[in-house]
Amino acid sequence: MPAEATEGTPCWADATFTDLEGAKRFYGELLGWTFGDTLADGNYTQAYVDGKAVAALMPPGPGQMPPGWCLYLASPDAEATASKIRGAGGTLLVEPMRVGEFGTMVLAADPGGVTFGVWQPGTHKGFEARTVPGAFNWAEVFTRAPERADAFFPEVFGYGVQRMTDDGVDFTLYDLGADPVLGRMRMTDDFPPEVPPYMNVYFTVDDCDAAVEKATSMGATLRFGPMTIPFGRFAALTDPEGAPFSLIDNGTTGGEMPTLERVS
């Protein structure tokens, strides 16, 4: 099992889908996932790459969020993190809840409406693989209230903040020491008003263009890209149920590294 992640580090991702079997077919074919037995109640089904847990899919429950991905940030004490979320102006959607022996979860929203999870591990430590094809790679807070996000997440999780100096892009990095753990992007007018703020989860692929072609052939919609940046070639899509996600190939890079300015 993996070691417990540092507080504030992305440690797990799951998604809610009305058509669970359709979602399993889509992501299974696109990312090479296999699926194990359900965990706990409600058909919570883990996805694996080479036998290592990388995500989970589940059907919606009463009052749950619409189809989409939820990113969980690690915490050694979910109750304490929930208290900090309240104190920083966030909203608790699900109070700290013990999930059997697996751990304790919280669902919350930042002051700008970005939903995310908190995970205090028990026997379930989180991602067993990262950055390999089919596994989690990176995530960004997509928000229409960037100033509120840049105050909220560092207050709750102790992040440092670096801002990109490009006037044309409002982007910041949240880090823990020297390690960037999360990005934050302002949602511009290019995003239709009906698209809510969200956590954009990136999955690793060998070939971004080929993966985009496969995804769109199975009913996904390409929203942006593919585009090559210093960190890789990526594309943003929505899956057949309308859930946003991104793909990135870290082996294809280009362009100059962005200049970042330390803010806090």
Side-chain angles (χ1 to χ4, degrees):
M1 292 294 290
E4 291 184 13
T6 303
E7 183 175 11
T9 301
C11 64
W12 188 241
D14 60 23
T16 301
F17 292 110
T18 303
D19 180 4
L20 183 62
E21 292 305 312
K24 288 166 68 175
R25 285 192 299 272
F26 175 79
Y27 286 100
E29 289 190 36
L30 179 62
L31 299 175
W33 288 353
T34 58
F35 297 93
D37 296 332
T38 60
L39 298 179
D41 297 324
N43 293 323
Y44 191 87
T45 305
Q46 286 205 134
Y48 297 85
V49 169
D50 293 331
K52 296 180 178 180
V54 293
L57 307 179
M58 60 182 168
Q64 286 191 356
M65 295 180 290
W69 283 96
C70 180
L71 181 74
Y72 292 79
L73 303 174
S75 169
D77 185 335
E79 290 277 1
T81 301
S83 179
K84 288 192 284 186
I85 288 170
R86 291 191 201 93
T91 302
L92 293 180
L93 306 175
V94 175
E95 298 275 347
M97 181 177 71
R98 180 86 181 191
V99 186
E101 65 181 9
F102 301 113
T104 302
M105 67 170 286
V106 173
L107 290 180
D110 85 334
V114 177
T115 58
F116 65 97
V118 172
W119 183 250
Q120 178 186 339
T123 59
H124 194 297
K125 306 301 181 187
F127 296 124
E128 293 180 347
R130 295 178 55 144
T131 70
V132 300
F136 172 83
N137 187 292
W138 179 246
E140 292 162 347
V141 178
F142 273 49
T143 178
R144 294 184 177 88
E147 298 85 359
R148 301 180 81 180
D150 289 351
F152 172 83
F153 285 100
E155 182 174 343
V156 174
F157 294 103
Y159 297 143
V161 180
Q162 299 180 70
R163 178 166 294 128
M164 188 181 294
T165 58
D166 183 347
D167 291 337
V169 180
D170 188 343
F171 178 80
T172 59
L173 277 179
Y174 301 153
D175 59 49
L176 292 168
D179 298 323
V181 294
L182 200 62
R184 190 278 296 151
M185 178 72 77
R186 177 194 288 269
M187 296 174 72
T188 65
D189 293 339
D190 293 337
F191 288 84
E194 64 271 17
V195 176
Y198 64 99
M199 281 280 194
N200 186 31
V201 176
Y202 289 69
F203 296 104
T204 309
V205 291
D206 281 323
D207 183 326
C208 184
D209 293 72
V212 166
E213 184 176 352
K214 178 180 282 190
T216 54
S217 75
M218 293 188 292
T221 301
L222 179 63
R223 300 298 184 185
F224 181 82
M227 178 180 180
T228 301
I229 59 174
F231 308 104
R233 186 164 175 81
F234 80 99
L237 306 97
T238 51
D239 69 20
E241 283 208 36
F245 70 102
S246 288
L247 301 172
I248 187 164
D249 160 15
N250 293 124
T252 304
T253 60
E256 296 182 3
M257 292 295 292
T259 302
L260 297 167
E261 178 183 51
R262 174 69 63 184
V263 176
S264 64

